Amino acid sequence: MATVLNSLLPPPTRWSSSSSSSSTQPAGSTRPAMSFHYPDFPAPFAITNYSASSRAISCQLQTTKGFAVLRRDAMALIFSSYIFSRVGLHDVALAQPSVGFREYIDTFDGYSFKYPQNWIQVRGSGADIFFRDPFVLDENLSVELSSPSSSRYKSVEDLGQPQEAGKKVLKQYLTEFMSTRLGVRRESNIVSTSSRVADDGRTYYQVEVNIKSYANNNELAVMPTDRVTRLEWDRRYLSVLGVENNRLYELRLQTPESVFLEEENELRQVMDSFRVNKASG
């Protein structure tokens, strides 16, 4: 689209006159030479003095202000029609680049996944690895691992059926989000649970939950009418669970519900890419 628009001649940025007189002239006076100035060209395009017939036609066309306005509208319509005739749906689609992915491989702990290439890594988050969207700050992913000294998982089925695993995942989220603030209320539900066997032959559980957080606008107010509850945030949490090296691995994705549908395809590709492997450490 940018190529098409750049190929069009830009509108003149200013009018200049070879005479220093005011732009308002008496009817029938001789107009000075006019120039259209385009900053992208080395020299202006100039239209010399109009001929007598040209002046007569010009005066006739501009007898009324209303007709001049209609003429400008007509020129704008012609110009916009030309642009949209040159720009098709194919060009618009090309202006929206597809999301690419990078692969993160941790051979020491034994897992890998793909993530959107524009996401950035954040250190010091407490997770084994953490990436987030630099624009949608509430959209991120992380990987959590159980302790190798205190866990003896043999397979993901040790968590029970996917529905039971979903309850444990939701409980863990709610525990992490506990708040000591007054008037905070959380609403949560399990959206879906499922099990799949990946191309590596291992079984993975997938759990999706929704959590909403509500809080009072004035938690210290004495009168209940002064404490208005409002929605703080509404998020979708997607987890992929796998077992290897006697450890439980969990890939966590977080995204606001308001952008989930827009990002769902990319997020599910990240989920499907998660693999656990033999650790080298």
Side-chain angles (χ1 to χ4, degrees):
M1 182 184 294
T3 303
V4 174
L5 295 179
N6 288 336
S7 68
L8 300 178
L9 190 63
T13 57
R14 63 187 176 91
W15 290 78
S16 68
S17 172
S18 60
S19 173
S20 60
S21 61
S22 172
S23 59
T24 303
Q25 298 182 4
S29 62
T30 302
R31 294 173 62 99
M34 307 297 291
S35 299
F36 299 92
H37 289 263
Y38 296 89
D40 294 336
F41 292 88
F45 293 94
I47 301 178
T48 57
N49 290 330
Y50 299 102
S51 63
S53 59
S54 298
R55 289 196 299 272
I57 294 174
S58 176
C59 292
Q60 182 179 1
L61 291 178
Q62 300 185 32
T63 54
T64 64
K65 181 179 179 181
F67 187 85
V69 172
L70 291 176
R71 185 177 64 174
R72 289 196 297 269
D73 293 342
M75 294 300 295
L77 178 61
I78 294 173
F79 184 72
S80 61
S81 300
Y82 176 74
I83 293 177
F84 287 105
S85 67
R86 295 289 302 274
V87 180
L89 294 178
H90 178 68
D91 298 316
V92 174
L94 290 179
Q96 301 293 331
S98 60
V99 175
F101 293 91
R102 293 178 179 171
E103 186 173 24
Y104 180 85
I105 302 175
D106 187 332
T107 57
F108 182 83
D109 289 311
Y111 65 88
S112 65
F113 60 87
K114 294 180 181 179
Y115 65 96
Q117 62 180 359
N118 64 323
W119 286 23
I120 59 176
Q121 183 177 351
V122 178
R123 302 185 184 277
S125 63
D128 195 68
I129 191 69
F130 188 95
F131 289 92
R132 69 173 174 84
D133 189 316
F135 303 105
V136 184
L137 302 184
D138 285 342
E139 191 168 45
N140 54 61
L141 71 83
S142 61
V143 174
E144 303 282 350
L145 290 72
S146 64
S147 171
S149 60
S150 60
S151 62
R152 289 292 182 268
Y153 289 96
K154 298 301 179 184
S155 69
V156 74
E157 284 87 352
D158 291 345
L159 297 172
Q161 295 299 312
Q163 296 80 2
E164 297 177 67
K167 295 178 182 178
K168 294 177 181 178
V169 168
L170 179 56
K171 182 179 179 180
Q172 180 63 31
Y173 276 126
L174 293 177
T175 300
E176 294 174 4
F177 296 148
M178 286 182 63
S179 175
T180 57
R181 291 181 299 152
L182 297 175
V184 174
R185 176 171 56 87
R186 300 278 158 74
E187 289 184 0
S188 61
N189 67 289
I190 298 175
V191 178
S192 67
T193 59
S194 61
S195 173
R196 65 179 175 86
V197 177
D199 53 9
D200 59 359
R202 296 180 176 86
T203 300
Y204 295 86
Y205 283 174
Q206 296 187 166
V207 177
E208 297 183 31
V209 301
N210 168 261
I211 302 177
K212 297 179 176 67
S213 178
Y214 296 88
N216 294 330
N217 63 332
N218 187 0
E219 59 187 36
L220 299 179
V222 177
M223 300 301 294
T225 54
D226 295 331
R227 297 192 297 269
V228 179
T229 302
R230 60 181 175 82
L231 179 65
E232 283 188 309
W233 45 263
D234 181 8
R235 299 171 186 162
R236 178 75 63 99
Y237 295 90
L238 308 100
S239 293
V240 183
L241 306 169
V243 169
E244 185 56 80
N245 307 304
N246 297 323
R247 306 176 72 178
L248 176 65
Y249 295 75
E250 181 182 5
L251 172 73
R252 294 181 167 191
L253 284 163
Q254 170 186 291
T255 184
E257 283 285 356
S258 59
V259 300
F260 172 70
L261 291 179
E262 180 183 351
E263 305 289 340
E264 181 177 7
N265 181 55
E266 288 77 17
L267 295 176
R268 297 203 182 281
Q269 290 186 61
V270 173
M271 295 175 69
D272 293 341
S273 71
F274 186 59
R275 298 289 185 274
V276 294
N277 312 288
K278 291 292 184 182
S280 62

